[in-house]
């Protein structure tokens, strides 16, 4: 039963991956970057830099890769590498393997994935240190707030870059294998496999939202997705950097991007060009 749940969760993420890839290709536009989050299924070497037993920087790992034993948990390319190839992008380098200087130069995507870790902070901790989903999103925030602006000076262009990038997330297996199924000190007693699956998905979506590009609203309100700005409330200074003006409504810069996508892209079906052309 638990194995069934794990497979199910895994499938959800895999389908998510496939859908985003399909959209990118259907769109016909070049994809500027691939950002990778997750566990050993997509780690490209982050764990080489961490105190952990979960490492793959020795042969036979990578025996069929260009440089063997890079920290990939397979004999050759990972799912993330194969997708990078399909998109015509370089393999996303491991975040922890890049110097501060290198981080401020990479524009084609970064890999934050870390073997043994999962959605819940405690998952994987028995093996040592790893980057939990919270750690990964924190590093990604640093990429958005510090590194990308040093390459792309116009903040609207940063948003556009992110909106056209592919985000690959392959995570959740270790929340079962190194956490739920171990049941540590009885933390999960009383959680049926179904209840744990629900709990995990909820924790996943909370973190996905927290990791968004610019998800924080300009008008701070109370942080709820439904909250509006209050009369004469102080607002953020650089409104072009924000996607959301209040808890639920987009800024002008986001509206411009969405309108453009609706005009000629795929978010409106048919899009406006197709609609105008139609007899
Ligand atoms: C991961 O996050 C935790 C909690 O914020 C922090 O204590 C830890 O140092 C982070 N680990 C890494 C490797 O960044
Ligand atoms: C089990 O251990 C975790 C981590 O140390 C702790 O957060 C949790 O409260 C503990 N649960 C119980 C039931 O003692």
């Amino acid at each position: 039963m638990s194995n069934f749940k794990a497979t199910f969760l895994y499938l959800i993420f895999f389908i998510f991956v496939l859908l985003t890839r399909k959209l990118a290709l259907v769109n016909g536009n070049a994809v500027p970057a691939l950002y990778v989050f997750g566990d050993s299924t997509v780690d490209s070497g982050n764990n080489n830099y961490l105190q952990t037993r979960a490492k793959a920087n020795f042969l036979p790992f990578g025996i069929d890769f260009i440089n063997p034993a890079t920290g990939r948990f397979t004999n050759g390319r990972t799912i993330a590498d194969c997708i990078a190839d399909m998109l015509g992008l370089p393999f996303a380098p491991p975040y922890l393997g890049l110097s501060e200087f290198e981080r401020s130069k990479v524009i084609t995507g970064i890999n934050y994935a870390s073997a043994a870790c999962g959605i819940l902070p405690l998952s994987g901790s028995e093996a040592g240190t790893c980057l939990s989903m919270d750690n990964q999103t924190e590093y990604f925030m640093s990429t958005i707030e510090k590194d990308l602006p040093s390459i792309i000076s116009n903040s609207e262009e940063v948003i556009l870059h992110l909106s056209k990038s592919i985000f690959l997330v392959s995570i959740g297996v270790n929340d079962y294998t190194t956490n739920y199924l171990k049941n540590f000190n009885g933390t999960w007693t009383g959680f049926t496999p179904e209840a744990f699956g629900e709990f995990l998905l909820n924790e996943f979506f909370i973190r996905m939202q927290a990791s968004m590009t610019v998800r924080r609203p300009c008008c701070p309100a109370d942080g709820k997705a439904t909250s509006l700005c209050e009369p004469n409330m102080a607002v953020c200074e650089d409104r072009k950097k924000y996607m959301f003006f209040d808890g639920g409504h987009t800024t002008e810069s986001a509206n411009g991007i969405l309108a453009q996508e609706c005009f000629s892209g795929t978010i409106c079906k048919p899009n406006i060009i197709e609609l105008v052309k139609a007899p």
Side-chain angles (χ1 to χ4, degrees):
M1 195 60 190
S2 308
N3 277 343
F4 168 74
K5 259 291 171 184
T7 313
F8 178 67
L9 192 74
Y10 205 48
L11 267 181
I12 289 178
F13 296 121
F14 206 67
I15 288 167
F16 173 72
V17 166
L18 292 180
L19 281 180
T20 46
R21 181 168 66 90
K22 194 155 172 242
L23 279 181
L25 296 182
V26 168
N27 207 349
N29 290 323
V31 172
L34 174 67
Y35 293 95
V36 183
F37 304 81
D39 52 32
S40 56
T41 52
V42 287
D43 188 346
S44 63
N46 281 309
N47 275 30
N48 297 352
Y49 303 90
L50 295 171
Q51 290 282 344
T52 173
R53 277 183 278 121
K55 286 189 192 281
N57 55 351
F58 48 85
L59 283 165
F61 287 113
I63 189 169
D64 298 316
F65 198 73
I66 332 142
N67 338 297
T70 55
R72 287 167 167 81
F73 289 74
T74 177
N75 60 309
R77 294 174 302 158
T78 66
I79 304 165
D81 298 328
C82 295
I83 288 178
D85 272 345
M86 290 168 180
L87 293 170
L89 290 170
F91 300 147
Y95 182 84
L96 296 182
L98 298 171
S99 67
E100 295 246 331
F101 178 76
E102 287 167 331
R103 282 173 197 160
S104 70
K105 297 285 165 215
V106 178
I107 188 107
T108 50
I110 290 182
N111 187 320
Y112 308 86
S114 172
C117 250
I119 297 163
L120 305 175
L122 210 57
S123 304
S125 52
E126 263 184 320
T129 314
C130 58
L131 305 180
S132 69
M133 202 170 166
D134 289 332
N135 291 119
Q136 295 180 34
T137 53
E138 204 173 303
Y139 286 139
F140 175 60
M141 288 310 288
S142 170
T143 299
I144 300 180
E145 288 172 358
K146 214 175 100 218
D147 298 328
L148 284 179
S150 68
I151 318 172
I152 312 171
S153 52
N154 178 331
S155 46
E156 275 180 76
E157 292 284 327
V158 172
I159 296 179
L160 195 64
H161 165 87
L162 292 171
S163 74
K164 289 188 181 300
S165 297
I166 298 289
F167 294 82
L168 170 65
V169 186
S170 177
I171 202 165
V173 172
N174 296 318
D175 293 292
Y176 287 85
T177 55
T178 72
N179 198 337
Y180 181 70
L181 297 177
K182 292 250 158 99
N183 201 22
F184 292 128
N185 45 9
T187 312
W188 305 114
T189 308
F191 269 78
T192 61
E194 286 76 10
F196 182 71
E198 290 283 323
F199 171 74
L200 203 52
L201 272 181
N202 193 43
E203 293 291 310
F204 172 75
F205 285 116
I206 288 171
R207 287 171 173 81
M208 282 300 283
Q209 281 196 338
S211 73
M212 291 301 276
T213 54
V214 274
R215 181 65 187 83
R216 222 175 294 142
C218 165
C219 195
D222 59 5
K224 290 199 193 107
T226 48
S227 60
L228 305 178
C229 298
E230 281 156 29
N232 299 316
M233 189 177 235
V235 292
C236 63
E237 241 170 59
D238 193 353
R239 290 177 287 283
K240 286 184 177 169
K241 272 194 182 164
Y242 285 70
M243 185 168 245
F244 286 88
F245 188 60
D246 65 17
H249 303 96
T250 41
T251 55
E252 182 185 70
S253 48
N255 290 342
I257 292 166
L258 292 171
Q260 185 60 49
E261 276 296 306
C262 184
F263 197 82
S264 56
T266 54
I267 62 168
C268 294
K269 285 189 188 298
N271 66 31
I272 294 176
I273 290 181
E274 287 162 348
L275 200 58
V276 170
K277 270 196 208 149

